[in-house]
Amino acid sequence: VPGEFELIERYLAPLAADNPGSLGLKDDAALLAPPAGCELVLTVDALVSGVHFFPDDPAGLVARKLLRVNLSDLAAMGARPLGYLMTVAWPGSPEEAWIAAFAAGLAADQKAFEVALLGGDTTRTPGPLTLSLTALGAVPAGRALRRSTARAGDELYVSGTIGDGALGLLVLNDTAPKLPARQREALIDRYRLPRPRLALGRALVESGLAHAAIDVSDGLVADLGHILETSGLAGVVETERLPLSNPARAALAARPALLRDLLAGGDDYELLFTVAPGRGAEIAALADRLDLPLSQIGRLSEGAGLRLLDGDGREVPLTRSGWTHF
Amino acid sequence: VPGEFELIERYLAPLAADNPGSLGLKDDAALLAPPAGCELVLTVDALVSGVHFFPDDPAGLVARKLLRVNLSDLAAMGARPLGYLMTVAWPGSPEEAWIAAFAAGLAADQKAFEVALLGGDTTRTPGPLTLSLTALGAVPAGRALRRSTARAGDELYVSGTIGDGALGLLVLNDTAPKLPARQREALIDRYRLPRPRLALGRALVESGLAHAAIDVSDGLVADLGHILETSGLAGVVETERLPLSNPARAALAARPALLRDLLAGGDDYELLFTVAPGRGAEIAALADRLDLPLSQIGRLSEGAGLRLLDGDGREVPLTRSGWTHF
């Protein structure tokens, strides 16, 4: 049975091979030459088995989720990924098959997102598998997208579809409405495998279209709340305009009260961003170019607080922490 | 009782206040403008309660050790610290007194080392307290100290004193020789609170004196082994030249077999570095300027492997994994 060091050497060291600054994971620290004229963008997230993922989730998917939730934060700032560092605390002795699958998941996503491992630390833990990943990106100096820079009058856009992550979790917990197997799988996949909207974030920086942006990780209501609070503005969302996937439409038709879960649930990892009025044609052209729906769902104004309006223009009540039943 | 969010706001957010790029921990990611002409130096370490520290260790010391082990890696590359990101996985609900002491420890060290929090993530865990810290530093481009760049003929130097960390752990485990209370406390302090040799690392970069460097975290034998293997050289250490603290001398006098622990034990966080012959006067002047002993303990040559020589020039046998008894 290979030891821990051999397993790291065999499965994790190759993840750093494309990154000369990793120094082959053989030095005290890694080196990175920052691109000229850029600011660095830095984010970190921890995932704990049994808290953020199921202990029997496929190792490759866990690895990809760990990387992608961080890449989504870079996307929200409009950054290009440069590399990542990772710590892994193994419960007991790591199983070779698990590590092999974990590394294969990272390797696949490294190719997809043109990023490589810079450094890491592995250790044992008497507790559950605990992962931490720090991602580094670059953005032209002074151009990073922020939450706090939305303006009154801005139109509110969101990418992709909203609520699939929350529904995927309901499916996994056997509390979703009855759906065809293919739709159940699609929702689970959205929950397990975020799609960081890196190309969109960079395009928003390059075009200067967005005044503010955030990724939808805590749920649309909570994350829009962050933009409104830090920008000092009020917001309105028209729930009829929410972009929903076919599985989400089917689930909502079967159980209308699920609208609450779609709006308050997390794990969508779409970008929510604000744009000056009158730029709709440019947004539509960008959506075409990226092959990614970009939907206007509301607008911002002077004031404070978030209002949700249904299809008849009636207000949907919100509690302080999120939602009342309706 | 304040909730988790309030505790973070109260105790952790102020740690980011001196770092405008942290954006008050209120955005998706942090921003950092890299200094012109510099390469970034990046390192990460994880600490697990019950594995890397005792569950009842003072929270402030745990925090400072977490930060300092990473700063020591920056020191070994000759880097100036720029900031850090941190993840904390709390077992159950964090106690306010613990968090307050943890944050106070970080605040003290942030001042001492001119560094501030850039970003972080906190979560719950059903397991033990698990900490991960990523430190960023800067070094003039192309000048970072490496392990692999030692040259045949180099003299081998080490800063401070060696073995105190290992003896501190023996004292804590009640397996050290009987020593006066003050000496016991001094050794425990060395084990618990690394002194990252940042000023030395930077001076070695600026002066160009060092060909290679590493910090002594895994033990002198193991860390020197890393230099020898990556540089493709052989090394000799004269054990009589090892710089020992007064408590270490007293312990060694009481139990000569402890020499093994001094050489193989970790947690000293001194710098081990190699210098071309004939630069002794410059090293002595640097030691004076930094008020830090810098002791020549051996030399490197063509070949492979490490030999230890005692005061009579007799070889001290090494096993593959480290040591035989003697």
Side-chain angles (χ1 to χ4, degrees):
Chain A
V1 178
E4 189 172 357
F5 179 79
E6 289 166 283
L7 290 174
I8 292 166
E9 188 69 20
R10 192 179 303 169
Y11 293 106
L12 300 184
L15 298 171
D18 290 339
N19 213 327
S22 71
L23 310 176
L25 306 183
K26 286 186 186 305
D27 226 302
D28 286 291
L31 295 175
L32 180 71
C38 276
E39 261 175 318
L40 291 168
V41 182
L42 304 155
T43 184
V44 65
D45 273 299
L47 297 186
V48 180
S49 178
V51 179
H52 302 93
F53 58 90
F54 294 95
D56 58 354
D57 275 352
L61 279 180
V62 171
R64 296 165 82 188
K65 181 160 189 171
L66 173 68
L67 179 57
R68 288 174 180 222
V69 296
N70 282 287
L71 294 181
S72 182
D73 284 325
L74 297 187
M77 307 280 281
R80 176 169 68 85
L82 296 173
Y84 68 98
L85 299 97
M86 178 176 67
T87 61
V88 183
W90 310 104
S93 263
E95 285 175 34
E96 182 165 4
W98 198 95
I99 297 185
F102 183 80
L106 286 174
D109 271 6
Q110 289 194 176
K111 270 197 187 142
F113 299 107
E114 297 179 35
V115 70
L117 182 65
L118 273 164
D121 188 27
T122 61
T123 180
R124 309 247 169 141
T125 175
L129 177 69
T130 302
L131 306 161
S132 175
L133 191 142
T134 302
L136 289 90
V139 67
R143 301 288 298 279
L145 303 175
R146 304 277 307 274
R147 300 175 175 181
S148 58
T149 46
R151 302 181 201 170
D154 276 359
E155 294 177 347
L156 185 65
Y157 283 85
V158 71
S159 64
T161 56
I162 286 297
D164 297 329
L167 290 174
L169 185 56
L170 292 185
V171 171
L172 283 170
N173 288 334
D174 276 328
T175 53
K178 196 165 160 46
L179 291 172
R182 232 185 59 198
Q183 293 197 334
R184 288 202 308 271
E185 289 305 313
L187 293 172
I188 290 172
D189 181 63
R190 280 296 307 267
Y191 170 71
R192 281 183 167 161
L193 199 57
R195 270 71 170 177
R197 300 303 188 188
L198 288 158
L200 173 59
R202 293 177 68 179
L204 291 175
V205 163
E206 286 160 14
S207 65
L209 275 169
H211 288 159
I214 192 171
D215 70 326
V216 183
S217 54
D218 296 335
L220 186 73
V221 167
D223 289 312
L224 176 52
H226 293 314
I227 287 184
L228 298 179
E229 283 156 30
T230 57
S231 298
L233 294 173
V236 169
V237 167
E238 295 171 62
T239 58
E240 290 282 301
R241 287 175 176 252
L242 288 171
L244 301 181
S245 67
N246 286 334
R249 282 187 195 285
L252 193 60
R255 195 186 301 161
L258 279 177
L259 180 61
R260 187 183 57 226
D261 301 87
L262 303 186
L263 283 157
D267 294 302
D268 283 322
Y269 298 98
E270 297 294 346
L271 291 193
L272 181 69
F273 57 100
T274 81
V275 176
R279 312 292 294 267
E282 288 160 272
I283 295 289
L286 181 59
D288 282 349
R289 179 161 73 80
L290 298 175
D291 194 18
L292 177 68
L294 301 176
S295 309
Q296 193 204 330
I297 60 169
R299 56 197 178 278
L300 309 189
S301 61
E302 301 288 353
L306 169 61
R307 287 192 310 147
L308 300 176
L309 300 182
D310 69 14
D312 301 318
R314 285 181 306 212
E315 190 156 347
V316 179
L318 277 165
T319 60
R320 191 172 64 87
S321 64
W323 286 89
T324 55
H325 289 262
F326 57 91
Chain B
V1 178
E4 189 172 357
F5 179 78
E6 289 166 282
L7 290 174
I8 291 166
E9 188 68 21
R10 192 179 303 170
Y11 293 106
L12 299 184
L15 298 172
D18 290 338
N19 213 327
S22 71
L23 310 176
L25 306 183
K26 286 186 187 303
D27 226 303
D28 285 293
L31 295 175
L32 180 72
C38 276
E39 262 176 318
L40 291 167
V41 182
L42 303 155
T43 184
V44 64
D45 273 299
L47 297 186
V48 180
S49 178
V51 179
H52 301 94
F53 58 90
F54 294 95
D56 58 353
D57 275 352
L61 280 180
V62 171
R64 296 165 83 188
K65 181 160 189 171
L66 174 68
L67 180 57
R68 289 174 179 221
V69 295
N70 281 287
L71 294 181
S72 182
D73 284 325
L74 297 186
M77 307 280 282
R80 174 169 69 84
L82 296 174
Y84 68 97
L85 298 98
M86 178 175 68
T87 61
V88 183
W90 310 105
S93 263
E95 284 175 36
E96 181 165 5
W98 198 94
I99 295 185
F102 184 80
L106 286 175
D109 271 6
Q110 289 193 177
K111 270 198 187 141
F113 299 107
E114 296 179 35
V115 71
L117 182 64
L118 273 164
D121 187 27
T122 61
T123 180
R124 310 246 169 141
T125 176
L129 177 69
T130 302
L131 306 161
S132 174
L133 192 142
T134 302
L136 289 90
V139 68
R143 302 287 299 278
L145 303 175
R146 303 278 307 273
R147 299 175 175 181
S148 57
T149 46
R151 302 179 199 170
D154 276 359
E155 295 177 345
L156 184 66
Y157 283 85
V158 71
S159 64
T161 56
I162 285 297
D164 297 330
L167 290 173
L169 184 57
L170 293 184
V171 172
L172 282 170
N173 287 335
D174 277 327
T175 53
K178 196 167 161 48
L179 291 171
R182 235 185 57 197
Q183 293 197 333
R184 289 201 309 270
E185 289 304 313
L187 293 172
I188 291 172
D189 181 62
R190 280 298 305 269
Y191 170 71
R192 281 184 167 160
L193 201 56
R195 271 71 170 175
R197 300 303 188 189
L198 288 159
L200 173 59
R202 292 177 68 179
L204 291 175
V205 163
E206 286 160 14
S207 64
L209 276 168
H211 287 160
I214 192 170
D215 70 326
V216 183
S217 53
D218 296 336
L220 185 73
V221 167
D223 289 312
L224 177 52
H226 294 313
I227 288 184
L228 298 179
E229 283 156 29
T230 58
S231 298
L233 294 173
V236 169
V237 167
E238 295 170 61
T239 59
E240 289 282 300
R241 288 175 176 252
L242 288 172
L244 300 181
S245 66
N246 286 333
R249 283 188 194 286
L252 193 61
R255 194 187 301 160
L258 279 177
L259 181 61
R260 187 183 58 227
D261 301 88
L262 304 186
L263 283 158
D267 294 301
D268 283 322
Y269 297 98
E270 297 294 347
L271 292 194
L272 181 68
F273 56 100
T274 81
V275 176
R279 312 293 294 266
E282 288 160 271
I283 295 289
L286 180 59
D288 282 349
R289 179 161 73 79
L290 299 174
D291 195 18
L292 176 68
L294 301 176
S295 309
Q296 194 205 330
I297 61 170
R299 57 197 180 278
L300 309 189
S301 61
E302 301 288 353
L306 170 61
R307 288 191 310 147
L308 300 176
L309 300 182
D310 70 13
D312 301 319
R314 285 181 306 212
E315 191 157 344
V316 178
L318 276 165
T319 61
R320 192 172 64 86
S321 64
W323 286 89
T324 54
H325 289 262
F326 57 92

